[in-house]
Amino acid sequence: AGSSRLLGRLRSLSFRMAAMDKHYFVNGKLLTEESEVLAPATPKAKAVESLEETPEKLAPNALEVLVASQRFLAISLPDCPQCEELSAALAARGVPGSVFVKWNKANPEYAAQKAALAAHAGPVFSFPQVFVDGAYQGGYLEAVSKLEAGAYDELFLEEFEAKPLTVQKWVNSRPMIVFSLPSCPQCDELRSQLEAKGLPVDKIFMKWDKAMPQYQSLKAQLVALIGLTSFTFPQSFVRSEYQGSFPEVAEKLAQGQFDNFFADAFGVAAPAPAAVAPAAVDIAFDDDF
């Protein structure tokens, strides 16, 4: 009887030891801890475990990742008139709608997204909000101002093969436009001549600066319009037609070739024709005088 009880105890102990001595294999690898089987240390599992930050903490990083994902990014909302206006302005320049990322106020993460965006735009802002090459550009008004100034022409050409149209739009939008540079004596002389005729020179002259980032792009567009690779400023257009450099325009002014145009486009009366002196009359005298 004693031996039977001892044998039973040995069998029970052996069973318990066998239960404790479990071996786990995953993908051919022997694992010593049961927890490793229940929660394998895969990259995805590690990533999930590391996501302990709140959405508010994650949002700034998420925004930076989004901004870095494309060179031109416009963040918009549904039913946003200014977003639609910017989209139309970009489409007219050959920029696809894919540059827009639309957020939704109904999404749970919107509050965190807005807080992250406020770090760039300030506590109060409207949509759209624009980033270019990772740099914050501003809202609708700022983006449109830079767009119309040709600041993004080179980027659009490189990214979307969109033909730059800024200079052409300026030429077509004004009855007369003169492109000038700072410290340009001939530009100043032409400005004085036009001002003396009563023209609104502030609306006619557009001064470029070689220090502008977009200067080379604008100059290349001007070269394409006038068909000259070498020229001096000022460069003038009247009713979208190229008029030449300073000598050509000054000569046309002196000859009065623009007088009718000035009257029609700017309400400047053409100069009165110079008075013509009466022809001398020969006086004849008879022989008795």
Side-chain angles (χ1 to χ4, degrees):
S3 60
S4 298
R5 287 196 297 271
L6 178 61
L7 180 61
R9 289 178 181 176
L10 289 174
R11 288 177 178 176
S12 176
L13 178 61
S14 175
F15 177 81
R16 288 197 298 269
M17 292 178 65
M20 295 173 60
D21 190 23
K22 292 182 180 179
H23 294 76
Y24 300 96
F25 292 86
V26 175
N27 294 330
K29 180 182 177 182
L30 175 63
L31 302 181
T32 59
E33 296 293 336
E34 184 177 2
S35 60
E36 291 184 66
V37 178
L38 298 178
T42 63
K44 182 177 180 181
K46 290 181 179 179
V48 171
E49 289 176 359
S50 67
L51 294 181
E52 297 177 353
E53 296 90 349
T54 63
E56 290 76 10
K57 293 181 180 179
L58 288 174
N61 181 59
L63 178 61
E64 299 309 321
V65 171
L66 175 62
V67 167
S69 67
Q70 53 194 66
R71 294 191 63 189
F72 190 98
L73 173 72
I75 301 175
S76 65
L77 291 178
D79 301 321
C80 168
Q82 289 186 333
C83 302
E84 295 172 1
E85 290 179 18
L86 179 59
S87 177
L90 291 172
R93 294 173 179 267
V95 179
S98 58
V99 299
F100 280 81
V101 172
K102 187 172 291 186
W103 287 353
N104 192 327
K105 291 183 178 181
N107 290 341
E109 64 270 20
Y110 175 74
Q113 291 172 332
K114 185 178 179 181
L117 189 53
H120 299 274
V124 179
F125 59 88
S126 59
F127 288 87
Q129 293 291 313
V130 178
F131 292 81
V132 170
D133 285 332
Y136 177 63
Q137 302 296 300
Y140 171 78
L141 293 179
E142 295 86 354
V144 168
S145 177
K146 294 175 183 179
L147 178 68
E148 293 179 348
Y152 307 136
D153 285 356
E154 186 174 356
L155 184 154
F156 292 160
L157 177 62
E158 293 172 356
E159 288 295 300
F160 312 115
E161 298 182 353
K163 180 181 177 181
L165 298 173
T166 298
V167 176
Q168 182 69 69
K169 286 179 177 290
W170 287 335
V171 168
N172 292 342
S173 65
R174 305 188 187 190
M176 181 177 187
I177 189 168
V178 178
F179 298 109
S180 65
L181 289 177
S183 304
C184 168
Q186 290 184 331
C187 302
D188 296 338
E189 176 61 25
L190 180 58
R191 185 183 180 97
S192 296
Q193 292 185 20
L194 295 178
E195 191 171 25
K197 290 182 174 292
L199 270 64
V201 291
D202 290 338
K203 297 180 179 180
I204 294 174
F205 276 74
M206 178 175 287
K207 186 173 290 186
W208 291 355
D209 192 327
K210 292 183 179 181
M212 297 188 305
Q214 66 265 37
Y215 174 75
Q216 292 301 328
S217 175
L218 297 178
K219 183 180 178 182
Q221 295 176 51
L222 183 58
V223 166
L225 284 180
I226 66 178
L228 300 172
T229 56
S230 179
F231 57 88
T232 58
F233 286 87
Q235 292 292 307
S236 303
F237 292 80
V238 169
R239 286 185 171 142
S240 301
E241 293 185 3
Y242 179 55
Q243 301 299 317
S245 300
F246 175 75
E248 295 86 356
V249 175
E251 183 178 357
K252 293 175 183 179
L253 281 172
Q255 294 175 355
Q257 294 186 25
F258 297 133
D259 288 349
N260 291 336
F261 163 72
F262 291 157
D264 180 55
F266 303 108
V268 175
V276 179
V281 178
D282 294 334
I283 302 176
F285 299 93
D286 57 33
D287 294 339
D288 295 332
F289 181 75

